[in-house]
């Protein structure tokens, strides 16, 4: 059975997302973790100066210090000792897939923004639990408000210039 290749899927990310995915793989390898997980990706994005996710964190009054502490705890719980990366975790792949679905169909964007990934994760009951395991601070995000107001929330993000609009297909 054919699968979507990670390179094809991650190639749908905008520049910031793609760069963060590359950084997540390097970070994962340096830590000796066997697979690149959603936590690695989020950690790398939040190490940037600004992104859609930074805007979402600020809008929903997520405590950055608590988030950082919780993310470090989640990273420390991952298995260690791997000499190489065996691939990408299923949760990370699904998060990007959901971001692609929402980014292209709901927001008519040709590239996946980090904000689209958060919407996709939170709209998927199976994935939203993974985000809340990383940090219960993510519970502060009201998914309907985020979905309805995403464009307003992320306006001015450096990701604004990293996407293209998808035609209606008519």
């Amino acid at each position: 059975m054919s699968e979507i290749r990670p390179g094809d899927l991650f190639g749908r990310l905008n520049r910031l997302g793609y760069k963060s995915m590359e950084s997540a793989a390097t970070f994962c390898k340096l830590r000796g973790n066997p697979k690149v997980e959603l936590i690695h990706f989020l950690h790398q994005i939040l190490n940037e100066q600004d992104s859609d996710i930074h805007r979402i964190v600020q809008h929903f009054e997520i405590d950055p210090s608590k988030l950082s502490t919780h993310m470090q705890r989640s990273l420390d719980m991952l298995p260690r000792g791997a000499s190489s990366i065996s691939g990408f975790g299923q949760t990370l792949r699904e998060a990007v897939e959901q971001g692609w679905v929402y980014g292209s169909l709901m927001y008519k964007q040709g590239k996946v923004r980090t904000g689209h990934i958060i919407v996709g994760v939170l709209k998927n009951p199976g994935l939203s639990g993974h985000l809340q395991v990383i940090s219960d601070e993510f519970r502060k995000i009201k998914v309907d408000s985020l979905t309805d107001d995403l464009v307003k929330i992320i306006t001015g993000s450096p990701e604004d210039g990293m996407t293209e609009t998808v035609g209606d297909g008519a």
Side-chain angles (χ1 to χ4, degrees), residues 28-164:
C28 172
K29 185 174 182 177
L30 288 172
R31 290 181 51 81
N33 303 132
K35 289 187 176 185
V36 183
E37 302 290 352
L38 180 61
I39 182 64
H40 294 112
F41 181 65
L42 293 172
H43 181 270
Q44 294 309 110
I45 292 167
L46 288 168
N47 277 337
E48 294 288 329
Q49 285 196 303
D50 194 6
S51 70
D52 289 359
I53 294 178
H54 287 88
R55 307 271 170 141
I56 292 167
V57 165
Q58 183 178 10
H59 180 82
F60 288 99
E61 300 178 355
I62 291 173
D63 183 329
S65 63
K66 282 184 183 177
L67 182 59
S68 178
T69 300
H70 295 165
M71 289 179 74
Q72 190 59 53
R73 181 196 65 217
S74 291
L75 285 163
D76 290 343
M77 292 173 62
L78 294 173
R80 294 185 89 146
S83 58
S84 64
I85 298 171
S86 63
F88 295 90
Q90 187 62 32
T91 302
L92 177 58
R93 290 175 63 119
E94 288 177 20
V96 176
E97 285 176 15
Q98 289 298 303
W100 181 30
V101 168
Y102 280 90
S104 62
L105 299 178
M106 181 173 277
Y107 300 107
K108 307 291 187 213
Q109 299 292 299
K111 291 288 185 180
V112 179
R113 297 173 66 134
T114 62
H116 299 152
I117 292 172
I118 297 299
V119 168
V121 167
L122 291 173
K123 294 292 272 184
N124 181 304
L127 290 175
S128 65
H130 289 283
L131 199 59
Q132 293 167 5
V133 166
I134 291 170
S135 176
D136 59 4
E137 284 293 295
F138 286 117
R139 293 179 193 275
K140 293 179 178 178
I141 300 173
K142 305 295 181 236
V143 68
D144 290 335
S145 173
L146 176 63
T147 305
D148 293 344
D149 299 332
L150 180 68
V151 174
K152 184 176 96 182
I153 292 168
I154 63 177
T155 294
S157 162
E159 295 184 59
D160 281 350
M162 298 180 190
T163 191
E164 57 202 39

